Amino acid sequence: MPEELSKQYDPRETEEKWYKIWEDSNLFSAKIPSQKKPYCIVIPPPNVTGILHMGHALNNTIQDILIRYHRMKGFNSLWMPGTDHAGIATQNVVERSLAKEGLKRQDLGVDKFISKVWEWKERNGSTIIAQLKKLGASCDWSRTRFTMDAAYSESVAEAFIWLYKRKLIYQGYYIINWCPRCQTALSDEEASHVELQGSLYYLKYPLKDNPDKFISVATTRPETMLGDTAVAVNPKDIRYKEYVGKILILPLVNRQIKIIADSTVDTQFGTGAVKVTPAHDPNDYRMGKKHNLEFINVMSPDGKMNALAGKFSGLDRFKAREVVLEELRTIGLLEKIQEHKLSVGHCYRCHTIVEPYLSKQWFVKMRPLAKPAIKVVKNGKIKFYPQRWTKVYLNWMENIQDWCISRQIWWGHRIPVYYCKNCQSKNPDKGIIVSKTKPEKCPKCASTDISQEKDVLDTWFSSWLWPFATFYWPKENADLKYFYPTAALVTAPEIIFFWVARMIMSGLEFRKNIPFKDVYIHGTVRDIEGKKMSKSLGNVIDPLEVIAEYGTDALRFSLISITTQGQDVYLSKERFEQGRNFANKIWNASRFILMNLKPENINADLCVFFKNEKMDILNRWIISRFYSTLKKTDEDLAAYRFNEAANGLYSFFWHEFCDWYLELIKPQIGEKQTQLIMYKILEKYLRLIHPFMPFISEEIWQRLPGAKDSIMQQKWPHLQPDLISDDDEKQMQVAFDIINTVRNMRAEMEVGLNNRIEIKLTFSDRSREKIIAPLINYIKNLAKVETLKITEKYLPQENEFACVLKDMHIVMPLKGIVNVAEQIKKNQLKIDRLESEIKNKETMLANKNFLGRAPKEIIDTEKAKLKDMREQVTKLEVIKNGLR
RNA sequence: GGGCUCAUAGCUCAGUUGGUUAGAGCGUUGCGUUGACAUCGCAAAGGUCAGUGGUUCAAGUCCACUUGGGCCCACCA
């Protein structure tokens, strides 16, 4: 017999202890070869710079539930963990710490800086892992990968070379999103657009032939006018027809620029004439290509104006905007300023406004990759949960743009491209050698003057290989064969484009197979006002604080129970009280059972027991309820309805097992049968709750007299529908109705009890007077309308009333005062309601349409319902009179 | 501009294919609890399911529109 449990559950004592034991006993590790079926989830690798936030907590709890559930279900469950090198984010962190010493990364040089980053990673990179462990995550940590590991880097290089050979990677000058602070290119997805109140400036450009006449153009970024090389109008725009082909003098720079006609110009916007700056705007870039315009880049990578900006050179872009406007105003060429809303791209790492910037970058051609990735989703090989994301995914994939994968930062995978200076000196487009390692000499000219491309790859270029690069692809190996494709991917909607879509494409390209079958997209965790949780808003609820205060199981359970499929989660700290209270309820119910349990009673086999013994109705009932809860849990988890599963487990345990069963068995708790059943139900329930609340379930499991091994090694219970007939369950329901009825003096009865019912009521002295008379009256009436008979009647104690109805043994305390007059009124209301219901049903059953269309079962049940209702009304009438 | 999503109790939200009396947690009120649990129990109050129209024997659930929130996408100079 274990030592007695304390009155309250203390998560702090147990969590660390069990996590260590699980880990030390290798219970998380998935070994092959194995006869079992694989069930694999790859973790969305958190950034090495990451600190656990609620999003992680939710995301990883869901994964852990799936993993633990399938492990118990008999799968060889693997949760593949790891971290992401997070190029820009990590570089920023290290740069910030250098800045404290007054240093810039340029002061160190590439190699020294990179080794600083590695140092940082060694020191801090496992923070997030340690935090995931606090969350109870049952990852196979022995397999932990990092996207910058040597082997992983090889996978990245392999992928690049593969695509290059397939001619799906190219290099070229394009307008890309440029972050002047990070000084790197960003992909379209990395530039997040925010709507801002800006201004639309109308600038007047004088005509060369007639300097008194002007063409007005509207722009939001007037400083870029320094790089204008044309003004465009719509060819259909009659206002400007006569000007097409004429020359304008670009103010401040005095460059001659042409007026061109282009159908992409919107006649409705601004003045209908648009300044064309091919080096600073993607639209203008296309126009520039089409009309063979000059590309004048007036900015440096740091966001300052360069030499081509003439006297504005050296000014920051926003300062330059002010100065340009001021000068134009002075010479009378600033026509007007209008308020204007526009959405401006911001760097998703440092929130600096990005600049559309012309530069030479590497791109992946996406359309050929997207095509098969569209197909697998359309034909259902990959399913999104909830389904609506399918549309979002397809919409993006069908309009996919090429992916800019080069970054001008230092921390990341160097692009596996080498340049032969000799060849390049002859032709700048030649001399490119794509290779995993530095070639000794140029294969064309044998020169040894070879240098590697300075740019690194977009972090997502490594992440998109995650489902197979973690298994050491391109090396063919048993793990890869066994675990790929993985079962499910659990992630947030923000990264469908960044990551999910690209993984699907890479899986199909490199492995010729989907990377996962199911994609579960959970909601974003927001604060109670619906705002995203972020440090800058100061509205963060730290999961680690919640764990410290309420415990991990409480955190997990609360998070899951409020996560409706795919709906955003609005969170406040009070939410976690529910989880804590539930943990405590489980604790105390277990404590009660263990206190009353005689270990010699628990060895019988449930099935055998069932065959040989006549089961008490209470015990039959709770078993029945348990199995329907089990069934529901299975169904909910299969459909990724985690909150439904959690809520089902919650209400079974609290409102059925504790509130009813444990209360009702108290008088018979010493009986052998009841001992066995209450133990078995607890024992089985612990398994059901374990994926959700791993720690408390283990702690109690270990205190069970029959416990062997860890609860993690136990099997998920099998459905045993034959043990319990529907009739039993119905009977129990009937019994509860009676109890409730008596308790409330509410007249509501069903027939058909075969067992003895003993109702014993306790009440306070004060209520005694008020209750006893109407109660006896009431019971009498019950006995009249039903087949129930009052076989005994007694007043055992001052404040108790008991009577035995037929065959069932139930003792219930009665609490509260009953107001008879009110009950009569309520009865009348109920009768009224029922009568209108009956009318409704009668019309329905008389309706030919209904009878023609509805399936037979429905008609039958409806008929039965009607009959029931009519009977009820009769009973209610009788009881009403009895109460009177 | 295109798409998605939400509106249900005082608050935060469930409600799976239309089908008995629309549920939970918290909050409020009343009663109770010295042997599992005050992190508790029993009950009560509180809902024209955003509005209008439609389909149906039957609508919180399906359709259309309206109102008001939230999110995503897009080359809005």
Side-chain angles (χ1 to χ4, degrees):
Chain A
M1 189 72 185
E3 81 274 25
E4 190 163 312
L5 275 66
S6 68
K7 273 195 160 189
Q8 281 177 27
Y9 171 59
D10 182 1
R12 266 155 298 196
E13 279 180 23
T14 60
E15 291 177 359
E16 223 164 296
K17 173 179 73 184
W18 289 118
Y19 199 90
K20 191 168 184 312
I21 290 173
W22 292 334
E23 223 186 335
D24 292 350
S25 331
N26 291 321
L27 295 180
F28 302 155
S29 71
K31 293 190 189 74
I32 64 160
S34 160
Q35 297 301 311
K36 295 177 181 174
K37 280 188 195 152
Y39 183 88
C40 179
I41 295 178
V42 290
I43 202 170
N47 292 352
V48 268
T49 58
I51 294 168
L52 193 79
H53 55 66
M54 275 300 167
H56 290 127
L58 174 62
N59 177 258
N60 290 293
T61 299
I62 291 171
Q63 291 178 78
D64 198 41
I65 289 170
L66 287 172
I67 286 289
R68 285 179 187 269
Y69 171 68
H70 283 93
R71 201 180 275 130
M72 291 174 88
K73 276 272 208 183
F75 288 85
N76 190 9
S77 221
L78 168 62
W79 190 4
M80 170 67 83
T83 50
D84 190 292
H85 70 281
I88 299 175
T90 310
Q91 176 164 320
N92 285 352
V93 167
V94 176
E95 279 187 292
R96 267 201 293 279
S97 77
L98 279 181
K100 281 182 197 149
E101 303 163 39
L103 290 170
K104 283 184 181 171
R105 71 172 198 254
Q106 287 81 359
D107 298 332
L108 298 182
V110 177
D111 294 344
K112 267 198 179 158
F113 180 77
I114 293 297
S115 63
K116 276 268 177 206
V117 181
W118 276 107
E119 267 173 43
W120 185 93
K121 192 256 169 186
E122 293 313 319
R123 237 187 355 259
N124 307 307
S126 54
T127 305
I128 186 75
I129 302 254
Q131 291 172 335
L132 286 174
K133 290 182 179 179
K134 290 215 80 167
L135 198 66
S138 63
C139 299
D140 186 350
W141 299 110
S142 67
R143 295 171 183 265
T144 306
R145 306 297 311 277
F146 178 52
T147 50
M148 283 286 280
D149 282 349
Y152 201 101
S153 300
E154 210 181 306
S155 305
V156 173
E158 172 79 18
F160 184 96
I161 294 164
W162 174 309
L163 293 175
Y164 187 85
K165 283 186 183 152
R166 291 249 288 128
K167 301 206 182 334
L168 291 174
I169 280 185
Y170 62 93
Q171 191 183 27
Y173 282 97
Y174 292 94
I175 297 271
I176 43 81
N177 302 292
W178 183 266
C179 174
R181 202 218 63 87
C182 303
Q183 297 212 20
T184 178
L186 299 172
S187 68
D188 290 342
E189 291 69 37
E190 285 170 325
S192 55
H193 286 257
V194 180
E195 183 143 294
L196 294 179
Q197 187 57 252
S199 303
L200 193 57
Y201 304 92
Y202 288 77
L203 315 181
K204 296 201 285 188
Y205 291 0
L207 279 159
K208 187 188 172 196
D209 304 344
N210 184 354
D212 294 335
K213 287 198 94 175
F214 306 95
I215 298 276
S216 286
V217 296
T219 177
T220 53
R221 293 187 296 147
E223 69 281 6
T224 62
M225 60 88 64
L226 303 170
D228 283 2
T229 51
V231 163
V233 297
N234 194 298
K236 286 182 188 148
D237 194 335
I238 44 166
R239 289 175 295 177
Y240 298 108
K241 209 146 208 170
E242 49 175 312
Y243 298 107
V244 173
K246 297 234 161 94
I247 305 292
L248 293 167
I249 300 294
L250 185 66
L252 307 181
V253 249
N254 293 323
R255 187 160 53 233
Q256 301 194 1
I257 59 174
K258 227 165 136 184
I259 300 175
I260 59 169
D262 193 290
S263 58
T264 61
V265 178
D266 178 0
T267 56
Q268 302 299 308
F269 191 91
T271 61
V274 56
K275 65 195 258 321
V276 183
T277 325
H280 288 277
D281 184 277
N283 262 331
D284 296 5
Y285 175 82
R286 275 189 283 274
M287 251 190 266
K289 280 272 178 197
K290 198 162 136 195
H291 297 274
N292 239 333
L293 301 174
E294 206 182 337
F295 291 74
I296 302 177
N297 188 342
V298 292
M299 242 177 250
S300 320
D302 59 358
K304 290 186 177 146
M305 309 312 285
N306 66 20
L308 291 173
K311 60 181 172 178
F312 302 99
S313 160
L315 290 178
D316 177 78
R317 52 190 171 147
F318 298 116
K319 183 70 190 165
R321 179 175 300 176
E322 286 171 31
V323 178
V324 163
L325 286 170
E326 197 43 52
E327 293 211 3
L328 285 170
R329 193 196 308 273
T330 315
I331 54 175
L333 295 179
L334 177 61
E335 188 179 299
K336 60 175 175 179
I337 302 174
Q338 234 175 34
E339 296 242 306
H340 182 69
K341 264 192 198 148
L342 71 167
S343 76
V344 180
H346 292 68
C347 172
Y348 85 132
R349 284 298 169 208
C350 71
H351 308 293
T352 305
I353 293 180
V354 299
E355 198 66 28
Y357 192 72
L358 183 66
S359 62
K360 196 177 190 185
Q361 304 290 345
W362 290 92
F363 295 86
V364 177
K365 221 180 261 179
M366 296 307 269
R367 293 212 167 249
L369 295 174
K371 222 178 145 188
I374 290 170
K375 203 173 141 197
V376 293
V377 169
K378 275 193 172 162
N379 68 17
K381 278 193 178 159
I382 294 179
K383 284 202 186 79
F384 281 84
Y385 296 84
Q387 217 194 343
R388 71 182 132 93
W389 294 109
T390 312
K391 218 172 165 182
V392 176
Y393 168 88
L394 289 174
N395 186 47
W396 187 73
M397 290 295 268
E398 276 156 9
N399 298 293
I400 199 162
Q401 302 290 317
D402 284 354
W403 176 15
C404 172
I405 52 167
S406 46
R407 296 291 179 275
Q408 289 67 44
I409 56 174
W410 291 356
W411 174 240
H413 302 99
R414 283 279 285 276
I415 291 178
V417 165
Y418 297 82
Y419 299 106
C420 167
K421 284 222 177 103
N422 184 35
C423 292
Q424 281 200 318
S425 64
K426 288 165 199 155
N427 181 345
D429 293 335
K430 289 273 160 73
I432 291 173
I433 310 154
V434 174
S435 164
K436 271 189 194 172
T437 50
K438 187 174 179 176
E440 296 276 313
K441 56 188 182 190
C442 175
K444 292 254 167 62
C445 69
S447 159
T448 54
D449 192 2
I450 285 169
S451 63
Q452 188 174 2
E453 165 69 63
K454 291 223 160 37
D455 288 358
V456 302
L457 287 161
D458 179 6
T459 301
W460 298 101
F461 192 89
S462 54
S463 318
W464 78 327
L465 311 173
W466 190 248
F468 46 88
T470 44
F471 293 112
Y472 298 90
W473 178 85
K475 285 195 195 102
E476 282 299 332
N477 59 71
D479 275 348
L480 184 59
K481 260 189 203 138
Y482 180 71
F483 287 113
Y484 190 96
T486 66
L489 183 82
V490 178
T491 192
E494 297 93 273
I495 56 175
I496 292 178
F497 306 138
F498 272 124
W499 195 47
V500 180
R502 287 173 182 161
M503 275 192 289
I504 296 174
M505 291 188 271
S506 77
L508 292 167
E509 172 69 16
F510 301 116
R511 294 293 308 155
K512 306 290 170 234
N513 201 349
I514 52 171
F516 29 71
K517 297 181 192 85
D518 292 341
V519 180
Y520 177 74
I521 308 280
H522 59 248
T524 308
V525 181
R526 298 173 184 280
D527 74 356
I528 204 74
E529 280 159 18
K531 295 198 185 83
K532 254 188 200 177
M533 285 199 182
S534 73
K535 266 185 244 158
S536 53
L537 284 172
N539 59 354
V540 174
I541 301 176
D542 182 354
L544 296 170
E545 273 174 30
V546 174
I547 288 174
E549 199 175 337
Y550 300 98
T552 300
D553 290 331
L555 169 81
R556 289 171 59 122
F557 191 83
S558 289
L559 270 180
I560 289 303
S561 68
I562 59 176
T563 308
T564 313
Q565 194 178 67
Q567 227 40 55
D568 284 358
V569 180
Y570 292 75
L571 204 60
S572 68
K573 224 169 171 182
E574 293 77 56
R575 294 271 192 200
F576 299 107
E577 285 174 17
Q578 190 190 351
R580 175 201 56 188
N581 292 356
F582 185 45
N584 204 55
K585 190 72 180 177
I586 297 175
W587 183 255
N588 270 301
S590 309
R591 177 168 173 257
F592 172 69
I593 290 168
L594 290 175
M595 272 165 50
N596 288 291
L597 195 66
K598 297 181 204 86
E600 67 269 22
N601 287 330
I602 61 163
N603 295 322
D605 182 89
L606 201 56
C607 293
V608 174
F609 198 91
F610 244 87
K611 271 181 207 153
N612 302 337
E613 304 232 2
K614 188 172 185 301
M615 295 287 282
D616 181 275
I617 188 166
L618 266 176
N619 289 330
R620 285 208 305 271
W621 173 75
I622 197 66
I623 290 168
S624 154
R625 292 305 308 144
F626 174 83
Y627 281 109
S628 56
T629 305
L630 169 62
K631 186 161 169 259
K632 180 178 154 52
T633 309
D634 277 328
E635 287 167 358
D636 287 337
L637 287 180
Y640 298 93
R641 291 191 298 254
F642 297 99
N643 67 322
E644 283 292 319
N647 293 339
L649 288 167
Y650 177 90
S651 65
F652 166 76
F653 193 82
W654 200 308
H655 299 308
E656 296 183 316
F657 188 61
C658 292
D659 286 354
W660 283 109
Y661 180 77
L662 290 184
E663 288 301 329
L664 292 173
I665 59 164
K666 277 178 181 172
Q668 65 192 53
I669 197 159
E671 285 171 16
K672 211 176 160 190
Q673 187 188 82
T674 303
Q675 289 258 311
L676 176 71
I677 301 305
M678 76 176 181
Y679 167 79
K680 285 284 183 188
I681 296 292
L682 175 66
E683 181 260 349
K684 284 176 189 292
Y685 182 79
L686 288 174
R687 304 188 206 187
L688 298 203
I689 203 68
H690 176 258
F692 298 81
M693 306 177 91
F695 294 108
I696 192 172
S697 53
E698 177 78 293
E699 178 67 26
I700 298 169
W701 175 266
Q702 294 294 337
R703 290 163 186 264
L704 295 179
K708 269 182 267 168
D709 303 330
S710 161
I711 193 166
M712 282 189 65
Q713 291 155 284
Q714 307 308 314
K715 283 195 184 116
W716 188 258
H718 289 295
L719 269 178
Q720 294 179 329
D722 294 334
L723 284 184
I724 276 288
S725 68
D726 289 352
D727 204 48
D728 283 332
E729 196 168 334
K730 206 174 160 193
Q731 270 199 44
M732 196 59 207
Q733 214 50 58
V734 169
F736 288 161
D737 277 354
I738 294 173
I739 294 162
N740 262 331
T741 302
V742 174
R743 188 151 52 197
N744 301 333
M745 294 301 292
R746 185 186 277 167
E748 192 177 316
M749 282 298 304
E750 299 265 354
V751 206
L753 270 182
N754 300 317
N755 290 9
R756 164 193 161 100
I757 297 183
E758 178 185 316
I759 300 172
K760 181 175 169 187
L761 309 157
T762 22
F763 40 84
S764 66
D765 289 346
R766 235 168 37 160
S767 345
R768 190 165 182 276
E769 293 292 306
K770 292 179 182 174
I771 284 176
I772 205 85
L775 191 61
I776 291 171
N777 207 349
Y778 175 74
I779 300 282
K780 275 184 190 161
N781 273 296
L782 276 188
K784 235 187 272 172
V785 276
E786 304 303 340
T787 56
L788 299 167
K789 291 275 177 325
I790 301 179
T791 53
E792 295 168 41
K793 185 159 68 174
Y794 60 105
L795 292 165
Q797 304 243 322
E798 276 289 292
N799 56 350
E800 280 181 344
F801 173 85
C803 74
V804 178
L805 297 178
K806 265 200 142 174
D807 225 9
M808 201 169 94
H809 179 89
I810 293 174
V811 179
M812 268 306 293
L814 178 79
K815 299 147 184 173
I817 300 171
V818 178
N819 183 330
V820 179
E822 215 167 87
Q823 287 307 322
I824 292 174
K825 213 162 117 196
K826 279 192 178 160
N827 264 341
Q828 189 56 52
L829 275 174
K830 186 145 196 196
I831 291 171
D832 294 349
R833 258 209 309 265
L834 273 169
E835 278 174 348
S836 79
E837 251 323 287
I838 287 171
K839 252 190 194 163
N840 214 340
K841 283 260 184 298
E842 279 169 348
T843 22
M844 170 178 158
L845 284 167
N847 187 297
K848 277 180 202 158
N849 274 336
F850 174 71
L851 294 173
R853 275 188 232 157
K856 197 167 175 301
E857 308 92 69
I858 290 184
I859 296 175
D860 289 346
T861 52
E862 292 301 330
K863 278 184 181 162
K865 279 179 196 167
L866 182 62
K867 202 180 144 207
D868 277 1
M869 283 191 281
R870 281 179 178 146
E871 280 171 11
Q872 269 189 49
V873 171
T874 325
K875 283 178 221 159
L876 285 169
E877 296 278 1
V878 175
I879 288 159
K880 195 178 74 184
N881 297 334
L883 283 169
R884 214 173 256 146

